[in-house]
Amino acid sequence: MPRMNSCDAARAIRAMDRSSCKQTPIVAMTANAFAEDVRAAVIVRCTKICADFCNV
């Protein structure tokens, strides 16, 4: 299992003290397509949010 989710990773990248980290494209891949999940990705400044839907 990963140690951080995409929002935690984006937050850590954006917090780095390097100018390139402020503009690096970040794509959040998630299995959750709920409005609060999308909102969380926008808050941490992800460039794009991709939800993966699967039929069971």
Side-chain angles (χ1 to χ4, degrees):
M1 290 299 285
R3 293 181 184 219
M4 60 176 72
N5 62 31
S6 59
C7 288
D8 293 338
R11 192 176 295 110
I13 292 167
R14 297 292 186 223
M16 289 179 163
D17 192 27
R18 294 174 52 181
S19 62
S20 62
C21 293
K22 308 301 182 209
Q23 57 197 6
T24 300
I26 299 173
V27 178
M29 301 292 293
T30 181
N32 299 326
F34 298 110
E36 60 267 16
D37 299 313
V38 174
R39 217 172 297 121
V42 169
I43 288 170
V44 296
R45 298 177 15 226
C46 287
T47 309
K48 180 79 175 161
I49 300 118
C50 298
D52 181 21
F53 298 99
C54 58
N55 294 324
V56 180

